[in-house]
Amino acid sequence: MRLVIARCSVDYTGRLNAHLPLATRLLMHKSDGSLLVHSDGGSYKPLNWMSPPCTLTVEEPDAESRAAGVIEHWRVTHAKSGDALLVRIYEVLHDSAHELGIDPGLQKDGVEADLQRLLAEQVDVIGDGLTLVRREFPTAIGPVDLLLRAPGGGTIAVEVKRRGDIDGVEQLTRYLELLGRDPHLAPVSGVFAAQEIKPQAKVLAADRGIRCVTLDYEGMKGVESGIPRLF
């Protein structure tokens, strides 16, 4: 990756036209060919950029640009659309290149798989006396996240989400209709479990006879969440 801090102006031409007047900016040229133009603000989002597949060529400025103080032209052209990004460099304040190697990618904490695993180990969060039948219980329309056995007979189908919305309730409803036809599982009730459940989803779940459970992920991991507790 090449990092250049320069006084520059930027013009984008193609499906739309955009202009960045002369200012000091960070130019980030990645090994995939992409170029990102950043300012010292606006959080993570670049002011302008060109995504791959694209090529960068360095050109000598024309007479008009040289007269204005430009020392170099960077032209980045997209291979498919033909869109172009022209960076006019007036002064280079910093120029460095770094080999970052292969990135392993973002490993998310608190995804649905983590919630499902923790809940399978702590089914008492759903209710007392419950036992786990299986995670990812297979059905003809997809796997149920958790299937639990109730102490008095019957089973409980649990749908686990990070953020619960109406679609998740509808999904669980379809599972319940299908599982309820199996005499070995019936009667089957449903639990919609999520870290956050939208009000509309709670209303729909109540109308369908589905119980909602809000999950404390940090607490389930054994980490204090900072939420005051009575005990």
Side-chain angles (χ1 to χ4, degrees):
M1 177 185 292
R2 184 182 178 190
L3 302 175
V4 176
I5 298 175
R7 293 179 62 248
C8 62
S9 64
V10 183
D11 287 281
Y12 194 106
T13 56
R15 289 165 292 183
L16 55 83
N17 295 331
H19 173 69
L20 291 172
L22 179 62
T24 302
R25 300 185 177 92
L26 168 65
L27 305 174
M28 184 182 298
H29 185 223
K30 296 185 178 182
S31 59
D32 61 6
S34 60
L35 180 73
L36 297 90
V37 182
H38 285 274
S39 65
D40 193 15
S43 186
Y44 64 92
K45 188 175 182 180
L47 298 171
N48 215 326
W49 66 93
M50 182 68 76
S51 301
C54 58
T55 56
L56 184 151
T57 56
V58 178
E59 303 172 350
E60 289 291 326
D62 54 27
E64 182 180 352
S65 291
R66 277 197 305 272
V70 176
I71 61 174
E72 204 168 65
H73 280 178
W74 288 14
R75 189 179 302 275
V76 188
T77 307
H78 196 273
K80 294 182 179 179
S81 67
D83 289 11
L85 194 67
L86 177 61
V87 182
R88 294 178 173 88
I89 307 290
Y90 289 76
E91 180 183 6
V92 175
L93 306 176
H94 172 85
D95 190 346
S96 63
H98 308 270
E99 179 59 51
L100 302 185
I102 299 175
D103 192 280
L106 180 65
Q107 297 178 351
K108 295 183 179 179
D109 186 29
V111 297
E112 289 176 12
D114 295 326
L115 286 169
Q116 184 191 121
R117 175 181 53 79
L118 286 171
L119 193 55
E121 297 169 354
Q122 305 172 50
V123 294
D124 57 304
V125 172
I126 302 298
D128 295 333
L130 300 176
T131 56
L132 177 67
V133 176
R134 181 172 171 176
R135 287 177 58 188
E136 299 289 334
F137 185 84
T139 76
I141 58 174
V144 178
D145 289 337
L146 299 177
L147 191 69
L148 310 180
R149 180 71 64 182
T155 52
I156 300 172
V158 184
E159 182 65 25
V160 182
K161 299 291 186 185
R162 288 187 65 238
R163 293 182 176 83
D165 55 21
I166 288 177
D167 289 342
V169 177
E170 293 285 7
Q171 182 181 0
L172 180 54
T173 300
R174 293 192 292 271
Y175 290 145
L176 293 174
E177 291 175 353
L178 186 63
L179 294 171
R181 301 172 193 169
D182 188 336
H184 296 77
L185 302 177
V188 183
S189 58
V191 170
F192 190 53
Q195 286 181 273
E196 176 187 344
I197 303 176
K198 293 184 178 180
Q200 301 93 327
K202 290 182 179 180
V203 171
L204 181 61
D207 183 68
R208 302 282 174 84
I210 295 171
R211 183 161 62 95
C212 290
V213 174
T214 302
L215 302 175
D216 177 6
Y217 176 66
E218 298 299 328
M220 292 168 68
K221 285 200 306 180
V223 179
E224 288 295 333
S225 64
I227 300 173
R229 301 184 183 186
L230 293 177
F231 305 101

